[in-house]
Amino acid sequence: MIDLDALERDLLGQIEQAGDEAALEALRVAALGKKGSVSELLKTLGAMTPDERRERGPLINGLRDRLQGAILAKRETLAEAALDARLAAERIDVTLPLREAPETRGRIHPISQVIEEITAIFSDLGFSVAEGPDIETDELNFTALNFPEGHPAREMHDTFFLRPDNFGKRKLLRTHTSPVQVRTMRAKQPPIRVIMPGRTYRHDSDQTHTPMFHQVEGLVIDRSANIANLKWVLESFCRAFFEVDSVTMRFRPSFFPFTEPSAEVDIQCSRKDGELRFGEGTDWLEVLGCGMVHPNVLRNGGLDPDQVQGFAFGMGIDRLAMLKYGMPDLRPFFEADVRWLDHYGFRPIDVPSLVGGLTG
Ligand code: PHE
């Protein structure tokens, strides 16, 4: 005859040892399941004599009830322990500072910001925006802009050339945004009022030059656009851009093959102790070239110089940014240093507009 006390001690011991709810369930099935050891014992009651049954029945049933009770109690203990473990693992310290959301943490690069500002100002003056490719043909970057083959002005551009194609023609990284002038003339009929922002490239690097930089070209063509209009547009732009009542600008006579007459424009600034300050001092930073569009360029753009005329300008976006935001060196603009961007970058939700304020 089976020793019920020994069986009970053994099973209770195993229940006590069960490490998790799955182990406990396995034990329950092994003892009380259909083919469980205790269930098998209960089945033996049927074959007993009434006397035997009277004696063994309560013993076996009692064993089953105690086991069920022990399993239930253990299950509760295990569930509580599991909950405690989860609470401990998923503990949140609500006193910790909030992690900043991407839209407040991210920064807009000053160049992107300044392009947005420039676009807002010129849109207000009735200009639309056009773009051209960074990889340009020699024809559009130079020839159509009235740089004759072999002209020394080509050398002044420190051009990056690509490998020549099968016909010996070499494309280049555009050295200025002026080729988009010709693209625009070929695509649109006057009156034309466009700005053309984009990347430009020259083999040059120092505090105010980087091999890749940004320009915005401006082009106005109609029947009577003249130098007075050009000056007014540039001055209006500078006042709006620098958010001041007057800007000290210096127009110097200059030469560009694609404009006649031509001028370069400097903006007054001071450089002290590695700081660049706008609107004071005795230094000047050259920020743009401009002039009346040369008749040859109008012709190359498919226009008739006896019918229309106009002016063009090309501004250095990076330098405008340096002046406005007081950054003394251009090179960090392109070093992708997050600390620099954190300091000089702009919040993405402050979109520049003339109504809402350019710089938020
Ligand atoms: N393309 C000239 C430069 O890069 C600037 C310029 C543009 C001058 C338009 C005159 C007219 O220096």
Side-chain angles (χ1 to χ4, degrees), residues 1-5 41-42 44-64 66:
M1 180 138 330
I2 217 162
D3 179 350
L4 290 180
D5 286 340
L41 280 178
L42 283 166
T44 59
L45 289 176
M48 288 181 190
T49 64
D51 281 348
E52 275 177 336
R53 196 177 307 132
R54 208 170 297 121
E55 191 215 321
R56 298 287 286 174
L59 290 178
I60 300 176
N61 277 316
L63 167 61
R64 183 200 54 201
R66 284 189 298 280

Side-chain angles (χ1 to χ4, degrees), residues 157 175-176 178 181 202 215 217 256 258-259 289-291 312-314:
H157 276 219
T175 57
H176 49 179
S178 302
Q181 281 189 38
R202 287 184 204 181
Q215 287 190 339
E217 193 84 5
F256 300 104
F258 38 96
T259 46
C290 59
F313 53 85

Side-chain angles (χ1 to χ4, degrees), residues 284-303:
W284 298 90
L285 190 66
E286 185 192 320
V287 290
L288 70 95
C290 59
M292 296 301 295
V293 179
H294 196 289
N296 286 348
V297 177
L298 291 172
R299 263 181 231 110
N300 292 334
L303 303 176

Side-chain angles (χ1 to χ4, degrees), residues 135-189:
I135 297 177
E136 192 49 283
T137 61
D138 193 282
E139 201 258 330
L140 282 160
N141 195 80
F142 290 127
T143 317
L145 287 168
N146 201 34
F147 288 78
E149 305 271 353
H151 191 283
R154 290 185 178 224
E155 307 304 318
M156 285 162 52
H157 276 219
D158 299 311
T159 314
F160 289 111
F161 288 99
L162 277 71
R163 218 175 275 131
D165 65 15
N166 291 341
F167 304 100
K169 293 211 177 205
R170 28 174 216 183
K171 287 200 168 173
L172 45 81
L173 294 177
R174 64 176 176 189
T175 57
H176 49 179
T177 41
S178 302
V180 196
Q181 281 189 38
V182 183
R183 289 178 175 273
T184 304
M185 289 180 218
R186 290 181 182 173
K188 279 192 180 192
Q189 283 305 308

